[in-house]
């Protein structure tokens, strides 16, 4: 992605994906068999010998760093033009991502020749290392482990699965907008009053009782999580899939207006807006297919395979997970539709009403002096006023990339120590950036107050903690 700046004299390029590959060094141990190590390589049109050379180089780097620290091999390699990230998610399986450094292209005084300046220090290892781990987690959610594919059909099957999954998935990586949120991989929770929360809990209980096939349920409203029966790490990656991939593909019918695919049918005098986001598009269609995506989640003895049914009414979405060994048919889907549709429609309008009332009480929204990101390591709760709505293609932030980089740097400092601490930075652009870490919780605040001094900034952050976080930071 290029941006023009200052009188057409220079062009800026953001970080971009150069290559992404997966290999296993034990698959081609002898000379002349090196190609067998490569299980997946993007871009696929790279010449065979270059693929072998690049994989060989990564192997050498990993082996070389092992001599210094056998338990922790290299995580990344910095060069002038690019940066390589290594990750070994399963024994001997290596995932490597190579990212081109951001660069500035300048026109020389003669106006013809160009010089390129690589900005080697602009990228954060923590951010892109997290992106590589996400790639693997997302693959595992839909396919299970690499080892599972090997057991089921050997290298052939694994290569097919990798090709099918990563060919699509890599197109959704937007490295230019990767930031601290990728490191956290958190979940945004929807704020609810107790009564409405209990209504949702009893809805989940009723549905699970009536449709005993359902093993796990998750409930979201407005792309935020309210209830989940899954393990935290499974929910974290499922949440990322739903909010960055599945939901954006089905634009909200109420936003779409007239052409919305709603079906206001009368079911005991209630208009119901429920529809399947996965599975059958239209239950009335005699040709409808009752196939659902399969996901893998952790279970006591390893993992289990489940059908993922995502059902939505207005802004509320319920995910139902059912053992993959069960065959789902029209009868089941109709039952679910007639039971869940009306209840979910009512719940959605209840939540919406409650939310509007709360908003009115809390007074008019004026543009605050600060923006913040909050993350809690215990329940993965994440809250950001810096990120505007995420879309399928890009996550927009309302602050300058330099400030996001400072946030990332502070986060790296926090990761090095166990104690609670606070860091305050004055940026070149008159912004103040404050990071607080207190017992598993992290808060990052960006203040736009030109003439403020350290004491005033501290007071402002205290006020923010008191109003937004009910004083959960006890650092003072």
């Amino acid at each position: 992605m290029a941006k023009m700046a200052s009188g057409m004299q220079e062009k800026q390029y953001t970080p971009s994906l150069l290559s992404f590959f997966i290999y296993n060094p034990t698959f081609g141990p002898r000379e002349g068999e090196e190609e067998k190590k490569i299980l997946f390589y993007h871009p696929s049109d790279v010449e065979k010998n270059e693929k072998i050379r690049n994989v060989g180089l990564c192997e050498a780097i990993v082996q070389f760093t092992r001599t210094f620290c056998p338990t922790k091999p290299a995580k990344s390699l910095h060069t002038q033009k690019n940066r390589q990230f290594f990750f070994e998610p399963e024994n001997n399986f290596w995932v490597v991502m190579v990212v081109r450094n951001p660069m500035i292209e300048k026109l020389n005084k003669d106006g013809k020749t160009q010089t390129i300046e690589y900005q080697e220090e602009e990228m954060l290892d923590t951010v892109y290392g997290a992106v590589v781990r996400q790639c693997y987690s997302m693959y595992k959610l839909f396919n299970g482990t690499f080892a599972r594919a090997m057991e089921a059909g050997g290298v052939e099957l694994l290569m097919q699965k990798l090709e099918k999954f990563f060919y699509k998935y890599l197109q959704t990586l937007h490295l230019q907008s990767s930031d601290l949120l990728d490191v956290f991989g958190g979940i945004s929770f929807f704020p609810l009053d107790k009564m409405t929360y209990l209504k949702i809990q009893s809805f989940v209980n009723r549905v699970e009782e009536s449709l005993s096939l359902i093993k796990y349920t998750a409930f979201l409203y407005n792309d935020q999580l309210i209830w989940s029966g899954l393990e935290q790490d499974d929910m974290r990656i499922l949440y990322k899939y739903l909010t960055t991939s599945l939901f954006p593909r089905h634009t909200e019918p109420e936003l779409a207006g007239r052409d919305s695919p709603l079906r206001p049918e009368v079911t005991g005098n209630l208009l119901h807006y429920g529809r399947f986001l996965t599975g059958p598009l239209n239950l009335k269609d005699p040709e409808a297919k009752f196939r659902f995506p399969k996901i893998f989640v952790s279970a006591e003895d390893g993992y289990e395979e489940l059908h993922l049914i995502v059902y939505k009414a207005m802004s509320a979405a319920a995910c139902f997970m059912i053992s993959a060994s069960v065959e789902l048919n029209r009868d089941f889907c109709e039952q679910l539709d007639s039971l869940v549709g009306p209840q979910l429609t009512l719940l959605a309008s209840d939540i919406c009403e409650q939310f509007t009332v709360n908003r009115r009480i809390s007074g008019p929204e004026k543009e605050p002096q600060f923006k913040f990101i909050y993350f809690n390591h215990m329940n993965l709760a994440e809250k950001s006023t810096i990120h505007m709505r995420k879309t399928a293609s890009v996550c927009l932030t309302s602050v300058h990339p330099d400030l996001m980089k400072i946030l990332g740097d502070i986060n790296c400092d926090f990761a090095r120590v166990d104690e609670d601490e606070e860091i305050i930075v004055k940026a070149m652009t008159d912004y103040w950036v404050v990071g607080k870490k207190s017992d598993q919780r992290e808060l990052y605040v960006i203040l736009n107050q030109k003439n403020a001094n350290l004491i005033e900034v501290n007071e402002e952050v205290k006020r923010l903690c008191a109003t937004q976080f009910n004083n959960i930071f006890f650092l003072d």
Side-chain angles (χ1 to χ4, degrees):
M1 219 163 77
K3 284 205 287 283
M4 296 303 285
S6 60
M8 304 296 281
Q9 287 310 298
E10 56 177 55
K11 259 186 189 172
Q12 290 187 347
Y13 292 90
T14 50
S16 60
L17 183 67
L18 283 178
S19 58
F20 183 97
F21 48 90
I22 297 169
Y23 71 90
N24 185 323
T26 61
F27 288 179
R30 285 193 286 285
E31 209 170 317
E33 295 185 343
E34 289 87 356
E35 202 185 357
K36 291 182 180 167
K37 296 174 185 175
I38 306 173
L39 301 166
F40 172 79
Y41 200 104
H42 164 86
S44 52
D45 53 6
V46 171
E47 205 262 322
K48 178 177 119 178
N49 285 334
E50 194 189 331
K51 288 182 186 174
I52 291 172
R53 202 168 50 243
N54 289 340
V55 168
L57 180 65
C58 292
E59 266 188 273
I61 292 161
V62 168
Q63 283 307 347
F64 175 65
T65 53
R66 274 228 162 104
T67 53
F68 301 102
C69 184
T71 50
K72 283 189 178 169
K75 286 199 173 76
S76 72
L77 171 73
H78 298 206
T79 65
Q80 182 196 4
K81 293 183 180 175
N82 61 42
R83 198 172 286 191
Q84 304 192 11
F85 299 91
F86 315 105
F87 176 46
E88 184 185 21
E90 298 175 40
N91 210 0
N92 283 321
F93 284 99
W94 286 87
V95 180
V96 180
M97 178 170 81
V98 185
V99 180
R100 192 195 61 203
N101 286 331
M103 57 186 193
I104 300 175
E105 206 175 71
K106 291 182 175 169
L107 269 183
N108 290 352
K109 291 202 169 66
D110 61 10
K112 291 193 183 81
T113 49
Q114 288 167 330
T115 51
I116 286 179
E117 269 178 32
Y118 288 96
Q119 298 172 288
E120 296 170 54
E121 293 312 308
E122 287 306 298
M123 293 202 312
L124 286 169
D125 278 1
T126 44
V127 169
Y128 293 94
V131 171
V132 178
R133 291 196 298 279
Q134 259 167 23
C135 289
Y136 171 73
S137 301
M138 201 61 87
Y139 169 87
K140 198 171 80 167
L141 179 70
F142 290 104
N143 298 281
T145 58
F146 295 162
R148 177 184 173 273
M150 290 291 294
E151 285 158 23
V155 181
E156 287 300 302
L157 180 68
L158 177 59
M159 287 172 79
Q160 277 168 22
K161 282 183 174 292
L162 292 172
E163 180 66 42
K164 188 178 166 195
F165 177 81
F166 282 109
Y167 171 70
K168 271 191 183 153
Y169 185 71
L170 292 177
Q171 295 171 16
T172 68
L173 282 189
H174 295 278
L175 299 179
Q176 72 279 4
S177 62
S178 298
D179 60 36
L180 193 55
L181 289 195
D182 290 290
V183 179
F184 293 147
I187 295 172
S188 175
F189 288 93
F190 190 81
L192 264 191
D193 62 297
K194 287 195 181 70
M195 267 320 289
T196 320
Y197 182 74
L198 286 172
K199 280 183 190 168
I200 288 164
Q201 211 173 355
S202 83
F203 160 78
V204 170
N205 294 342
R206 279 200 308 272
V207 174
E208 288 186 351
E209 212 167 290
S210 314
L211 302 167
S212 53
L213 285 177
I214 295 172
K215 283 195 88 167
Y216 307 104
T217 305
F219 191 105
L220 294 93
Y221 183 84
N222 233 357
D223 287 9
Q224 293 175 296
L225 186 66
I226 293 178
W227 165 268
S228 162
L230 280 178
E231 287 286 323
Q232 240 180 10
D233 275 346
D234 292 323
M235 191 58 230
R236 163 190 251 171
I237 199 73
L238 178 60
Y239 176 80
K240 183 172 171 60
Y241 164 69
L242 295 171
T243 53
T244 59
S245 177
L246 184 67
F247 293 162
R249 283 206 305 270
H250 298 263
T251 321
E252 235 8 281
E254 52 262 50
L255 297 180
R258 291 186 312 279
D259 336 311
S260 57
L262 299 182
R263 2 162 281 195
E265 294 167 3
V266 180
T267 40
N269 80 7
L270 170 72
L271 289 169
H272 114 62
Y273 296 110
R275 62 203 172 107
F276 287 92
L277 291 196
T278 60
L281 287 173
N282 180 359
L283 279 176
K284 294 276 172 280
D285 177 6
E287 300 290 296
K289 297 267 192 298
F290 298 94
R291 278 206 305 271
F292 292 90
K294 305 264 202 310
I295 60 168
F296 291 82
V297 302
S298 45
E300 283 158 22
D301 50 351
Y303 52 81
E304 52 184 328
E305 191 177 352
L306 305 164
H307 294 287
L308 174 66
I309 300 176
V310 183
Y311 188 89
K312 194 162 192 185
M314 303 184 344
S315 293
C319 307
F320 303 110
M321 287 148 267
I322 292 171
S323 172
S325 55
V326 179
E327 190 79 17
L328 295 179
N329 55 19
R330 176 184 296 275
D331 190 36
F332 177 80
C333 291
E334 284 177 346
Q335 224 181 324
L336 186 138
D337 183 61
S338 60
L339 173 76
V340 175
Q343 293 189 34
L344 197 58
T345 305
L346 274 178
L347 266 179
S349 52
D350 267 3
I351 299 170
C352 181
E353 209 169 297
Q354 193 51 50
F355 186 59
T356 321
V357 169
N358 290 351
R359 271 246 293 270
R360 266 209 308 279
I361 297 167
S362 63
E365 294 270 311
K366 56 180 194 298
E367 178 61 29
Q369 286 279 339
F370 49 76
K371 296 196 158 84
F372 67 84
I373 294 178
Y374 163 77
F375 180 67
N376 179 339
H377 289 269
M378 289 176 284
N379 62 357
L380 306 182
E382 172 181 281
K383 196 173 178 185
S384 168
T385 58
I386 287 174
H387 294 76
M388 283 132 25
R389 195 169 169 77
K390 277 192 186 126
T391 63
S393 59
V394 65
C395 177
L396 299 162
T397 54
S398 53
V399 303
H400 195 275
D402 290 354
L403 290 169
M404 290 310 293
K405 166 86 167 49
I406 295 174
L407 296 185
D409 287 332
I410 295 177
N411 170 255
C412 292
D413 286 340
F414 284 167
R416 284 192 201 102
V417 288
D418 290 333
E419 295 83 55
D420 293 354
E421 67 171 314
E422 181 168 20
I423 295 176
I424 300 184
V425 178
K426 186 162 197 310
M428 299 292 280
T429 47
D430 285 327
Y431 281 93
W432 287 87
V433 182
V434 181
K436 270 175 175 284
K437 175 187 178 192
S438 170
D439 184 36
Q440 304 279 323
R441 300 182 177 97
E442 295 179 32
L443 173 67
Y444 301 83
V445 186
I446 294 176
L447 293 155
N448 180 11
Q449 289 175 323
K450 275 204 170 66
N451 307 320
N453 61 31
L454 203 55
I455 295 166
E456 290 163 347
V457 167
N458 217 358
E459 284 304 311
E460 192 63 46
V461 173
K462 263 191 200 159
R463 266 204 300 281
L464 165 71
C465 286
T467 54
Q468 290 275 348
F469 298 104
N470 306 333
N471 288 320
I472 55 174
F473 288 92
F474 305 113
L475 272 180
D476 308 309

